[in-house]
Amino acid sequence: MRPSVFLSLLLLLLLLLLLPFIRAISSSPIEDVCEYVQDSYVDKGYCIRTLKSDLRSSKADAKGLGVIAAELTIAKATVIRSHIKELLKNASNSYDRRRAQAALLIFSNVIPSLRWSADSIASKFYASAGAVLFVALDAASACVGVVELGDAADDYVNLTLLAQAITLHLR
């Protein structure tokens, strides 16, 4: 066998042996985190798409991804709160006004809790953040039947589940 052919085969064999290690090194924190959280009621594809939608995620580690997920949840809760304020402003009777006020109270209270949770993740207080995120899940379901939130409620729940799953991963 000629030395160049032998060397080529040796390099190919070495490459095949090292391929699993190269893949492990080249996987991103997003891929790693989303691989882990897919067992926590979070679809891996959804996780990847959602985290990649934030430009900060390209340079974030797992903790940073947890903060990003919590902040995306805050943003969605803020949109919902604005929607509820609009419903309250346009309420045509006292019954609808009271319903909108109840929903507004829920989302006005959940936003500071979510902010606290994001800050807790950043400070590595994962258990506390996870507990608050668990409670925050109920905000959307508490408003179902009280006011119409549409797809925003599902988006909020999915984001909250993602933030909670990442937080559990960080423990």
Side-chain angles (χ1 to χ4, degrees):
M1 186 181 287
R2 293 184 8 208
S4 62
V5 174
F6 177 73
L7 187 57
S8 296
L9 288 174
L10 185 61
L11 285 174
L12 181 62
L13 179 63
L14 183 62
L15 181 63
L16 289 174
L17 290 173
L18 291 177
L19 194 57
F21 297 107
I22 293 169
R23 281 190 186 142
I25 292 169
S26 68
S27 70
S28 72
I30 292 175
E31 296 282 335
D32 293 342
V33 165
C34 292
E35 180 70 31
Y36 176 82
V37 302
Q38 70 180 344
D39 294 335
S40 304
Y41 304 108
V42 176
D43 178 70
K44 182 179 176 181
Y46 171 81
C47 176
I48 291 170
R49 281 189 312 278
T50 301
L51 293 175
K52 283 187 176 181
S53 72
D54 190 296
L55 297 176
R56 298 172 297 164
S57 68
S58 64
K59 296 180 180 171
D61 60 2
K63 179 182 76 162
L65 294 172
V67 172
I68 289 168
E71 288 176 348
L72 290 171
T73 307
I74 294 166
K76 183 54 70 175
T78 303
V79 167
I80 290 172
R81 182 180 62 188
S82 295
H83 171 72
I84 295 169
K85 283 181 178 180
E86 196 62 30
L87 291 174
L88 180 59
K89 188 172 96 176
N90 296 323
S92 60
N93 57 55
S94 63
Y95 180 71
D96 289 341
R97 203 171 10 269
R98 294 294 286 172
R99 291 165 56 124
Q101 286 171 335
L104 183 60
L105 181 64
I106 290 168
F107 272 93
S108 293
N109 287 329
V110 83
I111 291 170
S113 298
L114 290 168
R115 169 55 44 211
W116 183 89
S117 186
D119 293 343
S120 293
I121 294 167
S123 300
K124 299 183 180 181
F125 295 119
Y126 304 127
S128 301
V132 170
L133 287 163
F134 182 77
V135 172
L137 274 171
D138 287 337
S141 61
C143 291
V144 171
V146 177
V147 294
E148 180 56 45
L149 299 178
D151 291 339
D154 291 337
D155 294 342
Y156 171 81
V157 168
N158 289 332
L159 287 167
T160 308
L161 283 170
L162 176 60
Q164 182 186 35
I166 293 172
T167 302
L168 290 173
H169 168 67
L170 293 169
R171 286 185 180 182

